[in-house]
Amino acid sequence: LAKTTQPISMDSYEGQEVNITCSHNNIATNDYITWYQQFPSQGPRFIIQGYKTKVTNEVASLFIPADRKSSTLSLPRVSLSDTAVYYCLSGDNNNDMRFGAGTRLTVKP
Amino acid sequence: AAGVIQSPRHLIKEKRETATLKCYPIPRHDTVYWYQQGPGQDPQFLISFYEKMQSDKGSIPDRFSAQQFSDYHSELNMSSLELGDSALYFCASSVDRGGDEQFFGPGTRLTVL
C-alpha cells in the first residue's frame, strides 16, 4: 500500500480555486488514487478517482503527472460548505486503501 | 437511493462490557469495511469482508471480531470494552473489493464509561 502525504491544513476564501497536493512516492503500478471528503461526525464521501493524467467530474478535478508520484485535487470556486477534511488514498483492487492524515480545508467568507 | 445502514446510531456501555454494531450494505454491494475514528483522529481501517470472507485486516484489536453474513450484512463484536474504544465506528460498502468507491454509513457513536 502506498503511503500518502498531504498538507495538514489549508485556508482559502469563497470563490477561489483550491488545489490540494498529495505525495505518493512509492505508488505501485496497479494503484489508483482516490480522494474523499469528510465533514465532522459524518462518514467520508467519495470525490474522485484517477490513475493517470486528468480526471474531471461535477465537483472536482484530479491531476496526476506522468510519474504518478503525486496528485493534485482541484476544487473550483470553493464555498463555505467545502470546509472539510480531504483525504488522499492509494491502492489497487487487491488491497484495501488506508486513510492517512488528511488536509483540513477551511474556507473563509 | 439506498444507503449504508448502521445500527445503533448511539451506544453507551460500561468498561468491560460487550457491544455489537451492525451494518447493512447497499444492495448488491458485496464488500464491507469497518473503520474506527476517535475524536480528532483520522479513520482507522479495522477489517473488511468480500463475499462473506475476511478480505483484509487492519488495526483491529484482538478483543474485536467481525463477520459478514449470508445476506451480506456485517456485525462488529467488541468485548472487554475500554475507555479508549470510545469513537465513531463507520461501516462502508462497495461493489467490489480494494480500490472501488466506498459508500459510508452514518456511523455508530460508541461511548464507554
Side-chain angles (χ1 to χ4, degrees):
Chain A
L1 297 172
K3 182 170 182 167
T4 59
T5 305
Q6 311 171 224
I8 294 296
S9 63
M10 293 181 69
D11 289 344
S12 183
Y13 291 92
E14 281 190 292
Q16 288 188 332
E17 178 184 78
V18 171
N19 295 307
I20 307 175
T21 297
C22 177
S23 175
H24 27 81
N25 290 315
N26 298 320
I27 192 167
T29 304
N30 295 331
D31 287 350
Y32 286 80
I33 296 113
T34 310
W35 286 79
Y36 284 83
Q37 174 193 57
Q38 187 179 29
F39 298 112
S41 297
Q42 294 185 28
R45 186 173 68 109
F46 174 90
I47 301 174
I48 198 167
Q49 183 180 71
Y51 182 80
K52 195 186 285 185
T53 64
K54 178 183 175 181
V55 179
T56 298
N57 62 22
E58 62 276 9
V59 298
S61 294
L62 178 60
F63 300 90
I64 306 168
D67 66 5
R68 304 201 328 120
K69 293 184 183 300
S70 66
S71 60
T72 300
L73 174 72
S74 180
L75 305 172
R77 299 183 59 79
V78 293
S79 64
L80 297 176
S81 63
D82 292 317
T83 293
V85 180
Y86 292 82
Y87 292 96
C88 164
L89 291 77
S90 67
D92 65 16
N93 286 335
N94 294 315
N95 293 286
D96 291 321
M97 299 184 179
R98 301 290 196 265
F99 284 82
T103 298
R104 186 175 301 277
L105 173 65
T106 302
V107 180
K108 303 174 182 178
Chain B
V4 175
I5 297 171
Q6 292 188 245
S7 69
R9 294 293 308 277
H10 302 272
L11 190 59
I12 299 174
K13 291 285 184 179
E14 301 271 345
K15 279 195 306 183
R16 292 180 289 279
E17 286 191 322
T18 62
T20 297
L21 309 185
K22 296 185 179 183
C23 170
Y24 298 87
I26 293 171
R28 290 181 292 282
H29 282 196
D30 53 20
T31 305
V32 168
Y33 311 80
W34 285 98
Y35 294 88
Q36 177 193 60
Q37 187 169 28
Q41 303 294 311
D42 305 302
Q44 294 299 309
F45 171 73
L46 295 178
I47 195 167
S48 63
F49 293 89
Y50 171 69
E51 283 291 343
K52 293 155 279 185
M53 299 286 289
Q54 182 179 307
S55 172
D56 196 6
K57 193 172 181 179
S59 52
I60 184 169
D62 292 340
R63 299 177 289 110
F64 295 5
S65 65
Q67 57 181 326
Q68 186 178 31
F69 294 87
S70 58
D71 64 351
Y72 293 97
H73 95 272
S74 178
E75 295 184 4
L76 178 66
N77 299 294
M78 310 159 73
S79 62
S80 303
L81 286 170
E82 302 174 355
L83 296 178
D85 296 328
S86 295
L88 259 175
Y89 289 83
F90 290 108
C91 170
S93 72
S94 64
V95 172
D96 202 349
R97 59 179 293 189
D100 210 32
E101 176 183 351
Q102 296 181 31
F103 294 80
F104 282 76
T108 294
R109 184 173 295 280
L110 172 66
T111 302
V112 181
L113 303 176

mmCIF file with all atom_site columns, all heavy atoms in Angstrom, chain B residues 2 5 13 16 19 21 28 30-31 38-39 47 56 63 74 85 87-89 91 97 104 106:
data_model
loop_
_atom_site.group_PDB
_atom_site.id
_atom_site.type_symbol
_atom_site.label_atom_id
_atom_site.label_alt_id
_atom_site.label_comp_id
_atom_site.label_asym_id
_atom_site.label_entity_id
_atom_site.label_seq_id
_atom_site.pdbx_PDB_ins_code
_atom_site.Cartn_x
_atom_site.Cartn_y
_atom_site.Cartn_z
_atom_site.occupancy
_atom_site.B_iso_or_equiv
_atom_site.pdbx_formal_charge
_atom_site.auth_seq_id
_atom_site.auth_comp_id
_atom_site.auth_asym_id
_atom_site.auth_atom_id
_atom_site.pdbx_PDB_model_num
ATOM 1   N N   . ALA B 1 2   ? -30.743 3.861   -1.966 1.00 0.00 ? 2   ALA B N   1
ATOM 2   C CA  . ALA B 1 2   ? -30.454 3.211   -0.698 1.00 0.00 ? 2   ALA B CA  1
ATOM 3   C C   . ALA B 1 2   ? -29.031 3.518   -0.274 1.00 0.00 ? 2   ALA B C   1
ATOM 4   O O   . ALA B 1 2   ? -28.119 3.592   -1.100 1.00 0.00 ? 2   ALA B O   1
ATOM 5   C CB  . ALA B 1 2   ? -30.644 1.705   -0.850 1.00 0.00 ? 2   ALA B CB  1
ATOM 6   N N   . ILE B 1 5   ? -26.711 1.297   6.035  1.00 0.00 ? 5   ILE B N   1
ATOM 7   C CA  . ILE B 1 5   ? -27.440 1.470   7.292  1.00 0.00 ? 5   ILE B CA  1
ATOM 8   C C   . ILE B 1 5   ? -26.608 0.907   8.432  1.00 0.00 ? 5   ILE B C   1
ATOM 9   O O   . ILE B 1 5   ? -26.083 -0.206  8.330  1.00 0.00 ? 5   ILE B O   1
ATOM 10  C CB  . ILE B 1 5   ? -28.803 0.758   7.240  1.00 0.00 ? 5   ILE B CB  1
ATOM 11  C CG1 . ILE B 1 5   ? -29.671 1.388   6.142  1.00 0.00 ? 5   ILE B CG1 1
ATOM 12  C CG2 . ILE B 1 5   ? -29.517 0.838   8.589  1.00 0.00 ? 5   ILE B CG2 1
ATOM 13  C CD1 . ILE B 1 5   ? -30.954 0.633   5.868  1.00 0.00 ? 5   ILE B CD1 1
ATOM 14  N N   . LYS B 1 13  ? -21.867 2.211   26.820 1.00 0.00 ? 13  LYS B N   1
ATOM 15  C CA  . LYS B 1 13  ? -21.519 0.987   27.532 1.00 0.00 ? 13  LYS B CA  1
ATOM 16  C C   . LYS B 1 13  ? -20.575 1.318   28.684 1.00 0.00 ? 13  LYS B C   1
ATOM 17  O O   . LYS B 1 13  ? -19.922 2.361   28.706 1.00 0.00 ? 13  LYS B O   1
ATOM 18  C CB  . LYS B 1 13  ? -20.835 -0.003  26.581 1.00 0.00 ? 13  LYS B CB  1
ATOM 19  C CG  . LYS B 1 13  ? -21.750 -0.586  25.513 1.00 0.00 ? 13  LYS B CG  1
ATOM 20  C CD  . LYS B 1 13  ? -22.676 -1.618  26.109 1.00 0.00 ? 13  LYS B CD  1
ATOM 21  C CE  . LYS B 1 13  ? -23.517 -2.285  25.052 1.00 0.00 ? 13  LYS B CE  1
ATOM 22  N NZ  . LYS B 1 13  ? -24.411 -3.318  25.634 1.00 0.00 ? 13  LYS B NZ  1
ATOM 23  N N   . ARG B 1 16  ? -15.496 -2.957  30.277 1.00 0.00 ? 16  ARG B N   1
ATOM 24  C CA  . ARG B 1 16  ? -15.534 -4.427  30.352 1.00 0.00 ? 16  ARG B CA  1
ATOM 25  C C   . ARG B 1 16  ? -16.830 -5.036  29.817 1.00 0.00 ? 16  ARG B C   1
ATOM 26  O O   . ARG B 1 16  ? -16.947 -6.270  29.788 1.00 0.00 ? 16  ARG B O   1
ATOM 27  C CB  . ARG B 1 16  ? -15.280 -4.913  31.790 1.00 0.00 ? 16  ARG B CB  1
ATOM 28  C CG  . ARG B 1 16  ? -13.857 -4.638  32.263 1.00 0.00 ? 16  ARG B CG  1
ATOM 29  C CD  . ARG B 1 16  ? -13.634 -5.128  33.685 1.00 0.00 ? 16  ARG B CD  1
ATOM 30  N NE  . ARG B 1 16  ? -14.335 -4.312  34.657 1.00 0.00 ? 16  ARG B NE  1
ATOM 31  C CZ  . ARG B 1 16  ? -13.884 -3.150  35.126 1.00 0.00 ? 16  ARG B CZ  1
ATOM 32  N NH1 . ARG B 1 16  ? -12.717 -2.684  34.706 1.00 0.00 ? 16  ARG B NH1 1
ATOM 33  N NH2 . ARG B 1 16  ? -14.578 -2.468  36.026 1.00 0.00 ? 16  ARG B NH2 1
ATOM 34  N N   . ALA B 1 19  ? -20.233 -5.090  23.118 1.00 0.00 ? 19  ALA B N   1
ATOM 35  C CA  . ALA B 1 19  ? -21.102 -4.326  22.222 1.00 0.00 ? 19  ALA B CA  1
ATOM 36  C C   . ALA B 1 19  ? -21.108 -4.991  20.855 1.00 0.00 ? 19  ALA B C   1
ATOM 37  O O   . ALA B 1 19  ? -20.112 -5.587  20.437 1.00 0.00 ? 19  ALA B O   1
ATOM 38  C CB  . ALA B 1 19  ? -20.616 -2.884  22.104 1.00 0.00 ? 19  ALA B CB  1
ATOM 39  N N   . LEU B 1 21  ? -22.129 -3.988  16.888 1.00 0.00 ? 21  LEU B N   1
ATOM 40  C CA  . LEU B 1 21  ? -22.535 -2.985  15.918 1.00 0.00 ? 21  LEU B CA  1
ATOM 41  C C   . LEU B 1 21  ? -22.931 -3.700  14.630 1.00 0.00 ? 21  LEU B C   1
ATOM 42  O O   . LEU B 1 21  ? -22.260 -4.651  14.218 1.00 0.00 ? 21  LEU B O   1
ATOM 43  C CB  . LEU B 1 21  ? -21.393 -2.002  15.627 1.00 0.00 ? 21  LEU B CB  1
ATOM 44  C CG  . LEU B 1 21  ? -20.719 -1.365  16.846 1.00 0.00 ? 21  LEU B CG  1
ATOM 45  C CD1 . LEU B 1 21  ? -19.701 -0.328  16.377 1.00 0.00 ? 21  LEU B CD1 1
ATOM 46  C CD2 . LEU B 1 21  ? -21.721 -0.757  17.781 1.00 0.00 ? 21  LEU B CD2 1
ATOM 47  N N   . ARG B 1 28  ? -26.614 -5.240  -3.405 1.00 0.00 ? 28  ARG B N   1
ATOM 48  C CA  . ARG B 1 28  ? -25.694 -5.697  -4.463 1.00 0.00 ? 28  ARG B CA  1
ATOM 49  C C   . ARG B 1 28  ? -24.252 -5.279  -4.213 1.00 0.00 ? 28  ARG B C   1
ATOM 50  O O   . ARG B 1 28  ? -23.409 -5.491  -5.076 1.00 0.00 ? 28  ARG B O   1
ATOM 51  C CB  . ARG B 1 28  ? -26.165 -5.246  -5.849 1.00 0.00 ? 28  ARG B CB  1
ATOM 52  C CG  . ARG B 1 28  ? -27.423 -5.984  -6.291 1.00 0.00 ? 28  ARG B CG  1
ATOM 53  C CD  . ARG B 1 28  ? -27.866 -5.537  -7.667 1.00 0.00 ? 28  ARG B CD  1
ATOM 54  N NE  . ARG B 1 28  ? -28.338 -4.160  -7.683 1.00 0.00 ? 28  ARG B NE  1
ATOM 55  C CZ  . ARG B 1 28  ? -29.519 -3.761  -7.260 1.00 0.00 ? 28  ARG B CZ  1
ATOM 56  N NH1 . ARG B 1 28  ? -30.371 -4.647  -6.769 1.00 0.00 ? 28  ARG B NH1 1
ATOM 57  N NH2 . ARG B 1 28  ? -29.875 -2.482  -7.316 1.00 0.00 ? 28  ARG B NH2 1
ATOM 58  N N   . ASP B 1 30  ? -21.008 -6.273  -2.302 1.00 0.00 ? 30  ASP B N   1
ATOM 59  C CA  . ASP B 1 30  ? -20.587 -7.496  -1.635 1.00 0.00 ? 30  ASP B CA  1
ATOM 60  C C   . ASP B 1 30  ? -19.359 -7.317  -0.763 1.00 0.00 ? 30  ASP B C   1
ATOM 61  O O   . ASP B 1 30  ? -18.830 -8.279  -0.236 1.00 0.00 ? 30  ASP B O   1
ATOM 62  C CB  . ASP B 1 30  ? -20.346 -8.618  -2.661 1.00 0.00 ? 30  ASP B CB  1
ATOM 63  C CG  . ASP B 1 30  ? -19.402 -8.185  -3.767 1.00 0.00 ? 30  ASP B CG  1
ATOM 64  O OD1 . ASP B 1 30  ? -18.659 -7.202  -3.564 1.00 0.00 ? 30  ASP B OD1 1
ATOM 65  O OD2 . ASP B 1 30  ? -19.410 -8.841  -4.826 1.00 0.00 ? 30  ASP B OD2 1
ATOM 66  N N   . THR B 1 31  ? -18.896 -6.082  -0.614 1.00 0.00 ? 31  THR B N   1
ATOM 67  C CA  . THR B 1 31  ? -17.724 -5.807  0.222  1.00 0.00 ? 31  THR B CA  1
ATOM 68  C C   . THR B 1 31  ? -18.106 -4.828  1.326  1.00 0.00 ? 31  THR B C   1
ATOM 69  O O   . THR B 1 31  ? -18.766 -3.815  1.069  1.00 0.00 ? 31  THR B O   1
ATOM 70  C CB  . THR B 1 31  ? -16.582 -5.213  -0.610 1.00 0.00 ? 31  THR B CB  1
ATOM 71  O OG1 . THR B 1 31  ? -16.293 -6.094  -1.699 1.00 0.00 ? 31  THR B OG1 1
ATOM 72  C CG2 . THR B 1 31  ? -15.334 -5.052  0.234  1.00 0.00 ? 31  THR B CG2 1
ATOM 73  N N   . GLY B 1 38  ? -11.514 7.977   16.260 1.00 0.00 ? 38  GLY B N   1
ATOM 74  C CA  . GLY B 1 38  ? -11.538 8.621   17.556 1.00 0.00 ? 38  GLY B CA  1
ATOM 75  C C   . GLY B 1 38  ? -11.671 10.126  17.399 1.00 0.00 ? 38  GLY B C   1
ATOM 76  O O   . GLY B 1 38  ? -11.490 10.668  16.303 1.00 0.00 ? 38  GLY B O   1
ATOM 77  N N   . PRO B 1 39  ? -11.964 10.817  18.479 1.00 0.00 ? 39  PRO B N   1
ATOM 78  C CA  . PRO B 1 39  ? -12.123 12.281  18.428 1.00 0.00 ? 39  PRO B CA  1
ATOM 79  C C   . PRO B 1 39  ? -10.885 12.961  17.859 1.00 0.00 ? 39  PRO B C   1
ATOM 80  O O   . PRO B 1 39  ? -9.774  12.742  18.337 1.00 0.00 ? 39  PRO B O   1
ATOM 81  C CB  . PRO B 1 39  ? -12.333 12.648  19.899 1.00 0.00 ? 39  PRO B CB  1
ATOM 82  C CG  . PRO B 1 39  ? -12.803 11.390  20.556 1.00 0.00 ? 39  PRO B CG  1
ATOM 83  C CD  . PRO B 1 39  ? -12.153 10.265  19.822 1.00 0.00 ? 39  PRO B CD  1
ATOM 84  N N   . ILE B 1 47  ? -11.155 -3.776  9.489  1.00 0.00 ? 47  ILE B N   1
ATOM 85  C CA  . ILE B 1 47  ? -11.285 -5.070  8.836  1.00 0.00 ? 47  ILE B CA  1
ATOM 86  C C   . ILE B 1 47  ? -12.258 -4.940  7.672  1.00 0.00 ? 47  ILE B C   1
ATOM 87  O O   . ILE B 1 47  ? -13.084 -4.022  7.644  1.00 0.00 ? 47  ILE B O   1
ATOM 88  C CB  . ILE B 1 47  ? -11.776 -6.135  9.841  1.00 0.00 ? 47  ILE B CB  1
ATOM 89  C CG1 . ILE B 1 47  ? -11.576 -7.555  9.321  1.00 0.00 ? 47  ILE B CG1 1
ATOM 90  C CG2 . ILE B 1 47  ? -13.221 -5.886  10.243 1.00 0.00 ? 47  ILE B CG2 1
ATOM 91  C CD1 . ILE B 1 47  ? -11.738 -8.626  10.394 1.00 0.00 ? 47  ILE B CD1 1
ATOM 92  N N   . ASP B 1 56  ? -9.352  -8.242  4.267  1.00 0.00 ? 56  ASP B N   1
ATOM 93  C CA  . ASP B 1 56  ? -8.157  -7.543  4.693  1.00 0.00 ? 56  ASP B CA  1
ATOM 94  C C   . ASP B 1 56  ? -8.320  -7.205  6.171  1.00 0.00 ? 56  ASP B C   1
ATOM 95  O O   . ASP B 1 56  ? -9.443  -7.073  6.675  1.00 0.00 ? 56  ASP B O   1
ATOM 96  C CB  . ASP B 1 56  ? -7.953  -6.271  3.863  1.00 0.00 ? 56  ASP B CB  1
ATOM 97  C CG  . ASP B 1 56  ? -6.554  -5.701  3.991  1.00 0.00 ? 56  ASP B CG  1
ATOM 98  O OD1 . ASP B 1 56  ? -5.698  -6.344  4.628  1.00 0.00 ? 56  ASP B OD1 1
ATOM 99  O OD2 . ASP B 1 56  ? -6.309  -4.604  3.450  1.00 0.00 ? 56  ASP B OD2 1
ATOM 100 N N   . ARG B 1 63  ? -9.639  -8.050  20.880 1.00 0.00 ? 63  ARG B N   1
ATOM 101 C CA  . ARG B 1 63  ? -10.911 -8.064  21.620 1.00 0.00 ? 63  ARG B CA  1
ATOM 102 C C   . ARG B 1 63  ? -12.113 -7.888  20.688 1.00 0.00 ? 63  ARG B C   1
ATOM 103 O O   . ARG B 1 63  ? -13.255 -8.068  21.098 1.00 0.00 ? 63  ARG B O   1
ATOM 104 C CB  . ARG B 1 63  ? -10.921 -6.929  22.655 1.00 0.00 ? 63  ARG B CB  1
ATOM 105 C CG  . ARG B 1 63  ? -9.829  -7.016  23.701 1.00 0.00 ? 63  ARG B CG  1
ATOM 106 C CD  . ARG B 1 63  ? -9.886  -5.813  24.640 1.00 0.00 ? 63  ARG B CD  1
ATOM 107 N NE  . ARG B 1 63  ? -9.451  -4.581  23.980 1.00 0.00 ? 63  ARG B NE  1
ATOM 108 C CZ  . ARG B 1 63  ? -10.259 -3.591  23.667 1.00 0.00 ? 63  ARG B CZ  1
ATOM 109 N NH1 . ARG B 1 63  ? -11.549 -3.658  23.935 1.00 0.00 ? 63  ARG B NH1 1
ATOM 110 N NH2 . ARG B 1 63  ? -9.785  -2.505  23.088 1.00 0.00 ? 63  ARG B NH2 1
ATOM 111 N N   . SER B 1 74  ? -23.109 -7.129  8.069  1.00 0.00 ? 74  SER B N   1
ATOM 112 C CA  . SER B 1 74  ? -21.931 -7.430  8.867  1.00 0.00 ? 74  SER B CA  1
ATOM 113 C C   . SER B 1 74  ? -22.132 -6.968  10.299 1.00 0.00 ? 74  SER B C   1
ATOM 114 O O   . SER B 1 74  ? -22.911 -6.045  10.559 1.00 0.00 ? 74  SER B O   1
ATOM 115 C CB  . SER B 1 74  ? -20.704 -6.735  8.273  1.00 0.00 ? 74  SER B CB  1
ATOM 116 O OG  . SER B 1 74  ? -19.544 -6.985  9.053  1.00 0.00 ? 74  SER B OG  1
ATOM 117 N N   . ASP B 1 85  ? -11.927 2.808   23.557 1.00 0.00 ? 85  ASP B N   1
ATOM 118 C CA  . ASP B 1 85  ? -12.744 2.329   22.439 1.00 0.00 ? 85  ASP B CA  1
ATOM 119 C C   . ASP B 1 85  ? -13.836 3.326   22.071 1.00 0.00 ? 85  ASP B C   1
ATOM 120 O O   . ASP B 1 85  ? -14.515 3.143   21.053 1.00 0.00 ? 85  ASP B O   1
ATOM 121 C CB  . ASP B 1 85  ? -13.388 0.981   22.789 1.00 0.00 ? 85  ASP B CB  1
ATOM 122 C CG  . ASP B 1 85  ? -12.364 -0.116  23.006 1.00 0.00 ? 85  ASP B CG  1
ATOM 123 O OD1 . ASP B 1 85  ? -11.298 -0.067  22.352 1.00 0.00 ? 85  ASP B OD1 1
ATOM 124 O OD2 . ASP B 1 85  ? -12.619 -1.012  23.835 1.00 0.00 ? 85  ASP B OD2 1
ATOM 125 N N   . ALA B 1 87  ? -15.482 5.995   20.302 1.00 0.00 ? 87  ALA B N   1
ATOM 126 C CA  . ALA B 1 87  ? -15.165 6.502   18.964 1.00 0.00 ? 87  ALA B CA  1
ATOM 127 C C   . ALA B 1 87  ? -16.407 6.409   18.095 1.00 0.00 ? 87  ALA B C   1
ATOM 128 O O   . ALA B 1 87  ? -17.428 5.846   18.481 1.00 0.00 ? 87  ALA B O   1
ATOM 129 C CB  . ALA B 1 87  ? -14.035 5.695   18.329 1.00 0.00 ? 87  ALA B CB  1
ATOM 130 N N   . LEU B 1 88  ? -16.268 6.959   16.901 1.00 0.00 ? 88  LEU B N   1
ATOM 131 C CA  . LEU B 1 88  ? -17.263 6.744   15.854 1.00 0.00 ? 88  LEU B CA  1
ATOM 132 C C   . LEU B 1 88  ? -16.822 5.526   15.055 1.00 0.00 ? 88  LEU B C   1
ATOM 133 O O   . LEU B 1 88  ? -15.657 5.429   14.665 1.00 0.00 ? 88  LEU B O   1
ATOM 134 C CB  . LEU B 1 88  ? -17.319 7.949   14.920 1.00 0.00 ? 88  LEU B CB  1
ATOM 135 C CG  . LEU B 1 88  ? -18.437 8.965   15.085 1.00 0.00 ? 88  LEU B CG  1
ATOM 136 C CD1 . LEU B 1 88  ? -18.224 10.138  14.150 1.00 0.00 ? 88  LEU B CD1 1
ATOM 137 C CD2 . LEU B 1 88  ? -19.794 8.357   14.862 1.00 0.00 ? 88  LEU B CD2 1
ATOM 138 N N   . TYR B 1 89  ? -17.729 4.612   14.833 1.00 0.00 ? 89  TYR B N   1
ATOM 139 C CA  . TYR B 1 89  ? -17.432 3.423   14.050 1.00 0.00 ? 89  TYR B CA  1
ATOM 140 C C   . TYR B 1 89  ? -18.222 3.513   12.752 1.00 0.00 ? 89  TYR B C   1
ATOM 141 O O   . TYR B 1 89  ? -19.453 3.538   12.759 1.00 0.00 ? 89  TYR B O   1
ATOM 142 C CB  . TYR B 1 89  ? -17.770 2.154   14.825 1.00 0.00 ? 89  TYR B CB  1
ATOM 143 C CG  . TYR B 1 89  ? -16.806 1.939   15.964 1.00 0.00 ? 89  TYR B CG  1
ATOM 144 C CD1 . TYR B 1 89  ? -16.988 2.591   17.185 1.00 0.00 ? 89  TYR B CD1 1
ATOM 145 C CD2 . TYR B 1 89  ? -15.685 1.128   15.815 1.00 0.00 ? 89  TYR B CD2 1
ATOM 146 C CE1 . TYR B 1 89  ? -16.084 2.434   18.227 1.00 0.00 ? 89  TYR B CE1 1
ATOM 147 C CE2 . TYR B 1 89  ? -14.776 0.958   16.847 1.00 0.00 ? 89  TYR B CE2 1
ATOM 148 C CZ  . TYR B 1 89  ? -14.984 1.618   18.050 1.00 0.00 ? 89  TYR B CZ  1
ATOM 149 O OH  . TYR B 1 89  ? -14.092 1.463   19.065 1.00 0.00 ? 89  TYR B OH  1
ATOM 150 N N   . CYS B 1 91  ? -19.095 2.014   8.963  1.00 0.00 ? 91  CYS B N   1
ATOM 151 C CA  . CYS B 1 91  ? -19.141 0.891   8.047  1.00 0.00 ? 91  CYS B CA  1
ATOM 152 C C   . CYS B 1 91  ? -19.254 1.471   6.641  1.00 0.00 ? 91  CYS B C   1
ATOM 153 O O   . CYS B 1 91  ? -19.928 2.499   6.436  1.00 0.00 ? 91  CYS B O   1
ATOM 154 C CB  . CYS B 1 91  ? -20.351 0.012   8.363  1.00 0.00 ? 91  CYS B CB  1
ATOM 155 S SG  . CYS B 1 91  ? -20.706 -1.245  7.136  1.00 0.00 ? 91  CYS B SG  1
ATOM 156 N N   . ARG B 1 97  ? -14.082 -5.181  -4.195 1.00 0.00 ? 97  ARG B N   1
ATOM 157 C CA  . ARG B 1 97  ? -13.115 -5.002  -3.128 1.00 0.00 ? 97  ARG B CA  1
ATOM 158 C C   . ARG B 1 97  ? -12.026 -4.026  -3.547 1.00 0.00 ? 97  ARG B C   1
ATOM 159 O O   . ARG B 1 97  ? -11.964 -3.583  -4.676 1.00 0.00 ? 97  ARG B O   1
ATOM 160 C CB  . ARG B 1 97  ? -12.497 -6.347  -2.759 1.00 0.00 ? 97  ARG B CB  1
ATOM 161 C CG  . ARG B 1 97  ? -11.796 -7.016  -3.923 1.00 0.00 ? 97  ARG B CG  1
ATOM 162 C CD  . ARG B 1 97  ? -11.177 -8.315  -3.516 1.00 0.00 ? 97  ARG B CD  1
ATOM 163 N NE  . ARG B 1 97  ? -10.082 -8.086  -2.600 1.00 0.00 ? 97  ARG B NE  1
ATOM 164 C CZ  . ARG B 1 97  ? -9.237  -9.033  -2.210 1.00 0.00 ? 97  ARG B CZ  1
ATOM 165 N NH1 . ARG B 1 97  ? -9.389  -10.251 -2.642 1.00 0.00 ? 97  ARG B NH1 1
ATOM 166 N NH2 . ARG B 1 97  ? -8.278  -8.772  -1.364 1.00 0.00 ? 97  ARG B NH2 1
ATOM 167 N N   . PHE B 1 104 ? -20.040 5.226   2.641  1.00 0.00 ? 104 PHE B N   1
ATOM 168 C CA  . PHE B 1 104 ? -20.003 5.142   4.095  1.00 0.00 ? 104 PHE B CA  1
ATOM 169 C C   . PHE B 1 104 ? -21.390 5.309   4.704  1.00 0.00 ? 104 PHE B C   1
ATOM 170 O O   . PHE B 1 104 ? -22.218 6.073   4.210  1.00 0.00 ? 104 PHE B O   1
ATOM 171 C CB  . PHE B 1 104 ? -19.076 6.210   4.666  1.00 0.00 ? 104 PHE B CB  1
ATOM 172 C CG  . PHE B 1 104 ? -17.622 5.862   4.541  1.00 0.00 ? 104 PHE B CG  1
ATOM 173 C CD1 . PHE B 1 104 ? -16.971 5.974   3.327  1.00 0.00 ? 104 PHE B CD1 1
ATOM 174 C CD2 . PHE B 1 104 ? -16.911 5.413   5.643  1.00 0.00 ? 104 PHE B CD2 1
ATOM 175 C CE1 . PHE B 1 104 ? -15.628 5.644   3.207  1.00 0.00 ? 104 PHE B CE1 1
ATOM 176 C CE2 . PHE B 1 104 ? -15.573 5.086   5.540  1.00 0.00 ? 104 PHE B CE2 1
ATOM 177 C CZ  . PHE B 1 104 ? -14.927 5.205   4.317  1.00 0.00 ? 104 PHE B CZ  1
ATOM 178 N N   . PRO B 1 106 ? -23.735 6.267   8.274  1.00 0.00 ? 106 PRO B N   1
ATOM 179 C CA  . PRO B 1 106 ? -23.741 7.425   9.168  1.00 0.00 ? 106 PRO B CA  1
ATOM 180 C C   . PRO B 1 106 ? -22.891 7.239   10.417 1.00 0.00 ? 106 PRO B C   1
ATOM 181 O O   . PRO B 1 106 ? -22.616 8.196   11.124 1.00 0.00 ? 106 PRO B O   1
ATOM 182 C CB  . PRO B 1 106 ? -25.210 7.588   9.527  1.00 0.00 ? 106 PRO B CB  1
ATOM 183 C CG  . PRO B 1 106 ? -25.752 6.203   9.412  1.00 0.00 ? 106 PRO B CG  1
ATOM 184 C CD  . PRO B 1 106 ? -25.007 5.560   8.291  1.00 0.00 ? 106 PRO B CD  1
#
